[in-house]
Amino acid sequence: MRHRSDQADRTAALLSAALMDSARGRARTAAHLRVRGPGALPLMLAQGLFVAVAALVLVRMF
């Protein structure tokens, strides 16, 4: 039987990998659409910050 800490570590690693793939996909989408115009930079920075903060919160939970 596995220890609970091993299972929690494994779950956290899988969640972290999923979030990294999601962030990478978002970056590819932004590059593909070539977001331009007024307000594009703050919007992209806000999205990146949101993803990073959400990832850190979820990783800290485990």
Side-chain angles (χ1 to χ4, degrees):
M1 183 175 202
R2 291 182 182 224
H3 297 287
R4 291 180 67 84
S5 63
D6 290 342
Q7 196 167 17
D9 291 343
R10 185 176 176 196
T11 302
L14 289 172
L15 183 59
S16 176
L19 287 171
M20 291 296 280
D21 287 343
S22 175
R24 210 173 295 127
R26 183 180 301 253
R28 277 195 305 256
T29 301
H32 177 71
L33 295 174
R34 296 188 188 268
V35 178
R36 291 185 181 158
L41 180 61
L43 178 63
M44 288 175 43
L45 290 175
Q47 287 177 341
L49 181 63
F50 176 77
V51 170
V53 169
L56 288 173
V57 167
L58 290 173
V59 168
R60 288 287 303 234
M61 286 174 49
F62 294 104

